[in-house]
Amino acid sequence: MADVVLKDVTKIFERNIIAADNISFEVKDKEFVVLVGPSGCGKSTTLRLIAGLEELTEGEIYIDGRLVNDIPPKDRDIAMVFQNYALYPHMTVYHNMAFGLKLRKYPRREIERRVHEAAEILGITDLLNRKPKALSGGEQQRVAVGRAIVRKPKVFLFDEPLSNLDAKLRVQMRAEICKLHSHLEATIIYVTHDQVEAMTMGQRIVVMRDGVIQQIDTPLNLYNRPANKFVAGFIGSPTMNFIQGTLSKDWRGGLSFSDGVIKLGLPRRHNRRLQSYVGRELILGIRPEDILNPRFGKSTPETVTIWAKVEVIEPMGNETFLYLNTGSTSLVARFSTTKIPRVGEEMKLMVNMSKCHFFDKDTEIALL
Ligand SMILES: Nc1ncnc2c1ncn2[C@@H]1O[C@H](COP(=O)(O)OP(=O)(O)OP(=O)(O)O)[C@@H](O)[C@H]1O
Ligand SMILES: [Mg+2]
């Protein structure tokens, strides 16, 4: 297994489309790193650059310490699993998995051993004699992964391998790929546009937007300490609430944030960091779970009360989402399932300001 290093990698397609803009990151040996971001942000391009399927415009890529810029894909010792499994329809599962090894002229015995071992790991031994069209989506997916495993590559590259599966199977395969990672002790780079997949699978996550890396961090750090408004809004569901307003200082020196209707006092400890924003517009971010139902939540020095009208209620079973309107802004709150108000009701809410985020209005960079 091996580490992968990207240094100032840029890919510009025809018509000056910048798919990857000065990208640098490092995937350590045996690490599971996820590239995530909205459609068109350059995830597949980045993966294809690592695989050698696209040529770099600028920068350097190292696999296991070796500069691979000029090394063809077949000599990079990587295996890629694509979204459309691209299985050969006329070959059995066995031959689909064996094909790459045959091309590389592995001895028959060794091919047999590797295919059976991979089939065992993936639980598809019973399917080895079937053709792809006689398999379910999940089974086809496993064969595609099996085809990568038999190669025993230094690095696995996955490009949205689960997006063709239904929701339930996706969750199951997610767990299987994680198990596979610890079983094979493999270096994996995994691309998805699904933030839940990224959060649940990645040891570290690279968040991309328009070809530019926004943040590289562990799932919890991305959630708790997003570097900018884009990351804050991209990670988490329902998404973080954003309110635009101004910061003012009261006669006792405390800071408060107001959008003209609601006014939220800030914890004193933020004074120093936000001092220079007094009198200026900025964006407050608050996650749905930090807006509390006062029937349960205890008031603390860092909670403030606001009023809002309940517009929509979404019961999820284990929790309930409330869509609220303060008169100036819409908010989403995540409540437990009991003591839920009714639609149309004006209700008091507690906002846990110890969990609030602030972003510069122009640069959208996190201020706390
Ligand atoms: N061969 C190509 N020629 C020209 N432009 C391309 C090519 N491949 C990708 N692009 C452009 O590069 C940008 C990044 O594309 P890429 O496929 O890497 O995005 P992505 O993040 O994988 O998106 P998705 O989630 O939709 O798969 C897009 O604007 C896309 O249109
Ligand atoms: Mg893609």
Side-chain angles (χ1 to χ4, degrees), residues 197-213:
E197 221 167 270
M199 292 292 279
T200 51
M201 298 179 82
Q203 291 171 321
R204 284 191 309 146
I205 300 173
V206 179
V207 184
M208 292 180 66
R209 178 197 198 184
D210 296 339
V212 178
I213 293 182

Side-chain angles (χ1 to χ4, degrees), residues 344-355:
E345 204 174 302
E346 286 280 345
M347 74 172 297
K348 206 155 93 170
L349 298 158
M350 284 185 346
V351 181
N352 180 2
M353 294 302 286
S354 69
K355 293 285 187 67

Side-chain angles (χ1 to χ4, degrees), residues 22-229:
N22 207 17
I23 289 199
S24 297
F25 64 88
E26 186 178 341
V27 181
K28 298 191 200 83
D29 186 30
K30 303 188 178 65
E31 196 178 17
F32 194 134
V33 166
V34 176
L35 304 185
V36 70
S39 186
C41 73
K43 306 177 295 289
S44 296
T45 302
T46 305
L47 209 63
R48 291 168 59 81
L49 288 167
I50 298 170
L53 302 173
E54 298 284 356
E55 212 171 307
L56 289 166
T57 308
E58 263 175 68
E60 290 162 3
I61 297 178
Y62 297 85
I63 298 174
D64 203 12
R66 179 172 73 142
L67 182 67
V68 295
N69 285 28
D70 298 321
I71 295 185
K74 67 178 179 30
D75 299 326
R76 290 194 183 193
D77 213 352
I78 43 135
M80 191 149 166
V81 180
F82 298 92
Q83 173 178 353
N84 58 351
Y85 327 120
L87 300 177
Y88 302 109
H90 57 286
M91 289 185 197
T92 61
V93 167
Y94 179 92
H95 289 293
N96 262 286
M97 286 166 70
F99 189 66
L101 299 179
K102 272 192 202 154
L103 277 187
R104 287 175 177 75
K105 306 243 177 325
Y106 277 70
R108 200 168 59 91
R109 275 287 183 69
E110 176 66 10
I111 296 178
E112 263 177 37
R113 201 180 60 73
R114 287 197 186 192
V115 171
H116 281 107
E117 186 185 79
E120 186 80 13
I121 291 170
L122 294 164
I124 51 172
T125 305
D126 293 348
L127 309 177
L128 285 175
N129 292 322
R130 287 205 208 160
K131 298 250 176 82
K133 70 172 187 307
L135 301 176
S136 72
E139 288 163 349
Q140 291 184 30
Q141 185 55 58
R142 265 172 237 164
V143 178
V145 174
R147 206 167 42 176
I149 292 179
V150 294
R151 302 254 316 274
K152 303 200 174 184
K154 284 194 174 131
V155 181
F156 287 90
L157 305 176
F158 287 86
D159 192 355
E160 312 235 18
L162 308 185
S163 51
N164 285 346
L165 306 179
D166 67 46
K168 199 170 168 196
L169 198 53
R170 221 161 40 221
V171 172
Q172 188 188 332
M173 285 301 292
R174 208 158 82 191
E176 283 187 23
I177 292 175
C178 289
K179 269 192 256 168
L180 195 67
H181 171 246
S182 46
H183 180 85
L184 299 175
E185 300 196 315
T187 306
I188 295 182
I189 307 178
Y190 186 103
V191 161
T192 177
H193 62 269
D194 178 349
Q195 56 98 14
V196 177
E197 221 167 270
M199 292 292 279
T200 51
M201 298 179 82
Q203 291 171 321
R204 284 191 309 146
I205 300 173
V206 179
V207 184
M208 292 180 66
R209 178 197 198 184
D210 296 339
V212 178
I213 293 182
Q214 304 293 303
Q215 189 170 358
I216 304 176
D217 224 321
T218 60
L220 285 185
N221 279 349
L222 283 183
Y223 193 81
N224 294 323
R225 305 187 61 84
N228 58 36
K229 181 171 172 252

Side-chain angles (χ1 to χ4, degrees), residues 280-296:
R280 289 167 62 188
E281 277 199 304
L282 75 182
I283 297 164
L284 170 97
I286 191 89
R287 294 221 181 259
E289 60 270 31
D290 298 319
I291 299 177
L292 313 171
N293 187 343
R295 290 178 181 152
F296 294 108

